[in-house]
Amino acid sequence: MADSSSSLPPLSEKISYKSYFLRAVDLTILGLLLSLLLHRAVHMSQNDTVWVVAFLCESCFSFIWLLITCIKWCPAEHKPFPDRLDERIHDLPSVDMFVTTADPVREPPILVVNTVLSLLAVNYPANKLACYVSDDGCSSLTYFSLKEAYKFAKIWVPFCKKYNVKVRAPFRYFLNPLGSSEDSEFSREWEMTKREYEKFIQRVEDASGDSYWLDADDDFEAFSNVKPNDHSTIVKVISENKRGVGDEKEVPHIVYISREKRPNYLHHYKAGAMNFLVRVSGLMTNAPYMLNVDCDMYANEADVVRQAMCVFLEGSMNQDHCAFVQFPQDFYDSNAGELVVLQTYLVRGIAGIQGPIYAGSGCFHTRRVMYGLSPNDLEDNISLSSFATRKFLAEESLARVFGNSKEMVTSVVDALQRKSNPQNSLTNSLEVAKAVGHCNYEYQTSWGKTIGWLYDSTSEDVNTSIGIHSRGWTSSYLLPEPPAFLGCMPPGGPEAMLQQRRWATGLLEVLFNKQSPLIGMFCKKIRFRQSLAYLYILTWGLRSIPELVYCLLPAYCLLHNSSLFPKGVCLGIIVTLVGMHCLYTLWEFMSLGFSVQSWYVSQSFWRIKTTSSWLFSILDIILKLLGVSKTVFIVTKKTISETKLDSKDGSSQRDKDDDGPKADSGKFEFDGSLYFLPGTFIVLINLTAIAGFSMGLQRLNPSYKGGGSSLAEVCVCVLVVMLFLPFLKGLFEKGKYGIPLSTLSKASLLAVLFAFFSVRN
Ligand SMILES: O=c1ccn([C@@H]2O[C@H](COP(=O)(O)OP(=O)(O)O[C@H]3O[C@H](CO)[C@@H](O)[C@H](O)[C@H]3O)[C@@H](O)[C@H]2O)c(=O)[nH]1
Ligand SMILES: [Mn+2]
């Protein structure tokens, strides 16, 4: 496939972002933290228990910072050169593209079809692509929308390729009006395509309102009387690109699938859906590479497949063993500044170790790796070693591992040996494809245990990722500008809290299962610093405890009249630490084009989610470990943003004021759930402490000697209140922006108890 001449320029390069200055900053902060710990340890005996508690919290923070410093030491990313691909590779490999959806209400079909359309239109030969959509909602509406999307794709795909359209998700593309300078042929076609898009959307909307007529259509028979959690497998080939030659007018294959569901079976949420996608695509097209995106994550860069191939195909010529290529998850709404910063600075750091962590979306996987191969099963990076051939290719063991389908086993053998796929018609595989979607197909096989996407965590992405890195594979990180994929994030409020809780719970599940980096560090092929990176991510939930305690300590000290911080010159340690950390994180935000305000919102949201969502994740994991309850994957609600195209599609400034309403304007939504209790309590108690201190309440303490708390503790209380500003505002607002009375009364009761305890104790 590849031209072996080594004189040609490379398809991709690894770029290092090593910075001595940033290392020095990281080390300085670490040094300050350690000196604070030292100071506390030396003066422990002269102070009360507050110092012990503070010492423990600060030890946790120092450990986290140590991890961060290790992770960020040598950041790197890959830079692809897609222009060189055609010169070097004469026959591009096939790619199967997977989109998962689970709920037509929380994930509107219009969003799903836009993601599908963006994938169908990428710059890659259409006869090398197939798009599989897994629908865990088993919705006739989703199926209908996809059928309609195919009709529109026949206009959209050629239009995009003819005019080299940049944004290939039509709902985003048509947000901007036609420029006045465009030539008339383009304008005509633009208008026509837009009209067709609007008609298509209208048909989908009509069907969303009233879909009874779908029942009359034979093609929808499979959807009659089904429930999302109780139905047989459905596999429908929506379009087949028969004898495609890869010209610009072709549309890749589109296949709709929905695995069998029965009430008393475990379905393993997204991971289960992914494994069914792997099997069906294995039977139909069996491409060596698989792209996986969430249903809201459309392809924003038409060259994305070519970019990923630059890394894989370069890797197959040197011994790099790249198992997957991950693109960052970027967002078209601006609720996710913090995630973007994390991906740029932290994930780039991890990318410099063994490779980025698989993030669940925007990732190209290698089929053979998903089938359980390790780097040393390969002889020259292409063919199986003789040992691996014996180990993998014995028919009976294959059936045990991959399930009892002859056709599936044949397809696995082909994939492992990298045989090109026989050009069968997709419809010939319909029956076998349905068979591998049965509830009990995976029973006593290795699916979800060592093969495919791994089960037992609602963060199946990190779980699967650690499984791959533990076998010794590396991965690569590409950060193209504009971003390759754009999705949506819920704004600050109940949905965001729910999502954060699922993530933190899922990560803790991995920490305590057999994939745990705590074990892998010593007995698997994962690199030491990579294990530390996983440890950093997997312990997110546990951080809630020191963070919560630290938000309460200053209030306790004020009410109790004890000092939390060193006095005199040593107070400088704290001041420098806080100042440096603020400037450092602010710089990280601003260097990516974010505003000061979004930095502030993100700092605030970090504290809010840590002290509530992450705290609840600890409860989830305890209940799971005790066998009391199971963890669940509640799909995040997705909304279609109407904001105009901005930075992400070209220019460099991310936050523009004329962008319409934005969640990062600080408006935070509340409801009656328990998520908002810790935050409300923290605000109330800190306000009480400030008020109490200014009124001299601490003198009521029987052991009052004076000289305890000082301005430092007051300042930190003010800082905490500022970090929980949405809650402070929520005290005075009404409706969804106001804290409900029930939450307020519970929090007040807690605050009174806490204050009483602090003053009296
Ligand atoms: O039973 C399920 C549940 C979810 N999904 C799909 O999984 C994807 C991710 O779900 P979403 O609700 O969007 O979760 P997010 O928190 O936004 O997603 C992040 O976190 C998840 C793990 O918690 C990963 O699976 C995702 O890839 C990652 O983007 C969506 O396409 C869903 O349709 C299913 O197919 N079946
Ligand atoms: Mn999502």
Side-chain angles (χ1 to χ4, degrees):
M1 239 177 347
D3 191 328
S4 57
S5 160
S6 56
S7 59
L8 291 170
L11 288 174
S12 70
E13 264 170 18
K14 192 169 180 176
I15 313 171
S16 167
Y17 283 86
K18 197 162 68 184
S19 155
Y20 290 108
F21 178 70
L22 292 183
R23 281 183 185 178
V25 176
D26 285 336
L27 287 176
T28 313
I29 294 182
L30 187 64
L32 286 167
L33 280 164
L34 294 179
S35 12
L36 180 63
L37 287 181
L38 189 69
H39 180 87
R40 285 220 193 269
V42 172
H43 297 88
M44 194 75 84
S45 55
Q46 301 149 25
N47 290 281
D48 58 15
T49 38
V50 170
W51 271 55
V52 182
V53 179
F55 179 82
L56 291 176
C57 291
E58 284 152 4
S59 306
C60 293
F61 301 145
S62 309
F63 178 66
I64 294 166
W65 195 262
L66 177 69
L67 291 182
I68 292 180
T69 309
C70 288
I71 297 170
K72 286 186 174 173
W73 202 247
C74 307
E77 71 178 58
H78 270 81
K79 184 171 166 40
F81 302 102
D83 296 342
R84 299 175 184 166
L85 203 59
D86 297 322
E87 191 188 327
R88 289 278 295 272
I89 311 292
H90 309 308
D91 186 18
L92 288 168
S94 312
V95 178
D96 289 338
M97 306 183 288
F98 303 155
V99 180
T100 48
T101 181
D103 182 337
V105 177
R106 295 177 78 78
E107 303 181 323
I110 295 187
L111 211 61
V112 182
V113 293
N114 265 283
T115 300
V116 170
L117 284 166
S118 74
L119 294 179
L120 297 176
V122 290
N123 285 339
Y124 205 73
N127 58 338
K128 294 291 169 77
L129 295 176
C131 181
Y132 294 85
V133 181
S134 151
D135 179 17
D136 271 346
C138 192
S139 147
S140 55
L141 182 64
T142 305
Y143 176 53
F144 172 79
S145 313
L146 282 169
K147 280 178 62 158
E148 292 296 320
Y150 168 58
K151 291 182 200 155
F152 176 65
K154 286 191 276 189
I155 303 166
W156 176 245
V157 173
F159 172 77
C160 288
K161 293 196 174 167
K162 181 169 173 191
Y163 294 108
N164 197 17
V165 166
K166 283 211 170 64
V167 181
R168 297 195 178 182
F171 81 120
R172 300 289 294 164
Y173 178 69
F174 290 120
L175 280 179
N176 280 6
L178 189 64
S180 51
S181 58
E182 306 292 359
D183 73 57
S184 63
E185 189 194 343
F186 173 75
S187 308
R188 247 193 341 271
E189 283 199 43
W190 189 94
E191 297 282 0
M192 189 276 288
T193 313
K194 183 163 192 252
R195 256 194 325 274
E196 288 301 321
Y197 177 65
E198 281 160 1
K199 281 197 240 162
F200 153 55
I201 291 305
Q202 195 55 51
R203 287 196 296 273
V204 173
E205 274 171 5
D206 290 348
S208 323
D210 195 352
S211 58
Y212 71 93
W213 51 272
L214 291 181
D215 300 339
D217 188 332
D218 281 351
D219 196 20
F220 290 84
E221 205 188 316
F223 296 94
S224 59
N225 301 323
V226 298
K227 290 195 199 116
N229 66 343
D230 196 2
H231 66 89
S232 314
T233 310
I234 303 175
V235 178
K236 300 248 179 210
V237 176
I238 290 176
S239 87
E240 182 167 356
N241 179 18
K242 287 198 178 122
R243 287 186 298 283
V245 287
D247 79 24
E248 306 219 320
K249 292 205 167 59
E250 279 170 32
V251 176
H253 307 305
I254 310 173
V255 181
Y256 170 94
I257 65 175
S258 182
R259 61 206 162 115
E260 185 187 22
K261 290 259 189 82
R262 300 293 171 210
N264 296 324
Y265 279 82
L266 280 180
H267 296 289
H268 305 291
Y269 304 107
K270 182 183 163 189
M274 292 308 298
N275 285 339
F276 182 42
L277 279 163
V278 174
R279 293 198 290 273
V280 173
S281 63
L283 291 166
M284 290 188 168
T285 41
N286 214 7
Y289 299 104
M290 307 179 284
L291 164 63
N292 143 234
V293 294
D294 289 349
C295 60
D296 58 323
M297 286 264 163
Y298 69 84
N300 183 56
E301 159 62 72
D303 256 346
V304 63
V305 182
R306 296 168 59 82
Q307 290 183 347
M309 287 310 131
C310 284
V311 177
F312 282 127
L313 301 175
E314 181 72 29
S316 67
M317 285 174 271
N318 61 38
Q319 298 284 313
D320 198 15
H321 296 315
C322 173
F324 62 87
V325 174
Q326 176 71 56
F327 289 84
Q329 291 199 16
D330 216 319
F331 304 89
Y332 52 82
D333 44 20
S334 35
N335 305 320
E338 171 214 327
L339 208 58
V340 173
V341 171
L342 195 83
Q343 293 182 96
T344 309
Y345 291 104
L346 200 92
V347 182
R348 214 189 240 160
I350 306 176
I353 311 172
Q354 195 172 344
I357 293 172
Y358 163 49
S361 183
C363 186
F364 288 81
H365 281 283
T366 321
R367 192 179 282 275
R368 297 203 294 180
V369 174
M370 278 302 180
Y371 285 170
L373 230 56
S374 297
N376 48 12
D377 291 325
L378 296 178
E379 212 127 65
D380 46 11
N381 217 355
I382 297 281
S383 48
L384 292 185
S385 67
S386 48
F387 173 72
T389 311
R390 279 197 306 279
K391 182 171 103 187
F392 281 100
L393 301 186
E395 289 271 333
E396 57 300 2
S397 77
L398 276 178
R400 219 174 30 244
V401 174
F402 291 93
N404 230 337
S405 155
K406 253 207 180 87
E407 292 82 357
M408 188 64 220
V409 167
T410 313
S411 106
V412 170
V413 172
D414 285 349
L416 289 175
Q417 295 183 322
R418 284 219 112 148
K419 280 199 198 133
S420 66
N421 200 48
Q423 286 296 312
N424 265 333
S425 166
L426 298 190
T427 41
N428 289 350
S429 320
L430 279 181
E431 287 313 311
V432 278
K434 281 186 192 158
V436 299
H438 280 318
C439 283
N440 47 14
Y441 180 79
E442 294 182 351
Y443 183 63
Q444 292 198 332
T445 64
S446 301
W447 287 102
K449 294 178 198 133
T450 51
I451 303 297
W453 269 252
L454 303 187
Y455 299 154
D456 287 332
S457 165
T458 50
S459 293
E460 81 300 323
D461 41 6
V462 180
N463 199 14
T464 306
S465 179
I466 204 168
I468 296 172
H469 284 135
S470 297
R471 272 180 274 148
W473 293 103
T474 64
S475 52
S476 303
Y477 199 39
L478 298 187
L479 276 145
E481 191 53 52
F485 296 96
L486 291 178
C488 55
M489 274 292 261
E495 281 293 330
M497 302 305 253
L498 192 69
Q499 183 185 42
Q500 290 291 339
R501 177 180 180 168
R502 162 158 51 76
W503 287 355
T505 307
L507 295 171
L508 283 179
E509 286 180 283
V510 185
L511 185 70
F512 294 114
N513 74 13
K514 60 179 186 307
Q515 298 272 71
S516 178
L518 296 172
I519 305 170
M521 215 179 279
F522 305 105
C523 55
K524 293 201 178 140
K525 288 194 182 132
I526 189 163
R527 293 183 199 161
F528 179 69
R529 284 203 303 131
Q530 188 78 7
S531 293
L532 295 185
Y534 277 110
L535 197 63
Y536 169 80
I537 307 254
L538 297 180
T539 49
W540 273 1
L542 300 180
R543 284 164 68 173
S544 57
I545 294 172
E547 293 238 13
L548 177 68
V549 172
Y550 220 77
C551 287
L552 298 176
L553 269 184
Y556 174 83
C557 289
L558 274 193
L559 292 166
H560 186 248
N561 193 40
S562 49
S563 68
L564 175 59
F565 300 115
K567 298 241 182 302
V569 194
C570 292
L571 184 63
I573 302 177
I574 293 277
V575 178
T576 323
L577 248 178
V578 175
M580 263 188 95
H581 191 261
C582 282
L583 286 177
Y584 189 19
T585 47
L586 182 63
W587 168 79
E588 285 186 331
F589 267 75
M590 297 193 71
S591 67
L592 296 178
F594 287 104
S595 61
V596 181
Q597 197 206 358
S598 51
W599 164 76
Y600 174 65
V601 171
S602 124
Q603 294 297 314
S604 161
F605 185 59
W606 182 273
R607 257 80 245 169
I608 294 171
K609 73 178 182 196
T610 321
T611 50
S612 70
S613 301
W614 291 9
L615 188 68
F616 287 112
S617 75
I618 298 189
L619 192 71
D620 289 339
I621 203 74
I622 293 177
L623 293 180
K624 180 184 165 172
L625 292 176
L626 292 177
V628 177
S629 67
K630 293 203 167 72
T631 53
V632 285
F633 190 129
I634 300 169
V635 174
T636 313
K637 191 168 173 13
K638 288 142 185 110
T639 40
I640 300 173
S641 158
E642 296 290 319
T643 53
K644 296 234 164 46
L645 303 189
D646 63 356
S647 59
K648 322 273 174 65
D649 314 281
S651 64
S652 65
Q653 184 69 29
R654 274 171 188 268
D655 287 316
K656 286 187 186 151
D657 294 329
D658 59 354
D659 250 12
K662 290 251 201 73
D664 75 351
S665 64
K667 277 273 181 194
F668 194 88
E669 293 177 16
F670 297 93
D671 67 6
S673 62
L674 277 182
Y675 291 131
F676 304 108
L677 184 60
T680 315
F681 166 59
I682 290 172
V683 167
L684 288 181
I685 196 64
N686 277 285
L687 288 176
T688 313
I690 299 168
F693 185 78
S694 38
M695 290 184 318
L697 205 66
Q698 67 281 10
R699 294 198 181 86
L700 298 179
N701 191 323
S703 57
Y704 178 74
K705 290 195 286 290
S709 308
S710 64
L711 202 60
E713 283 76 22
V714 180
C715 288
V716 176
C717 279
V718 173
L719 196 66
V720 173
V721 174
M722 276 168 63
L723 284 169
F724 284 82
L725 193 63
F727 285 78
L728 184 65
K729 287 185 182 162
L731 293 177
F732 305 102
E733 298 249 12
K734 294 232 151 31
K736 62 178 182 179
Y737 299 122
I739 300 172
L741 204 62
S742 59
T743 311
L744 205 56
S745 32
K746 283 179 213 148
S748 310
L749 182 68
L750 281 179
V752 170
L753 291 176
F754 186 90
F756 186 74
F757 163 80
S758 315
V759 175
R760 285 269 130 202
N761 196 359

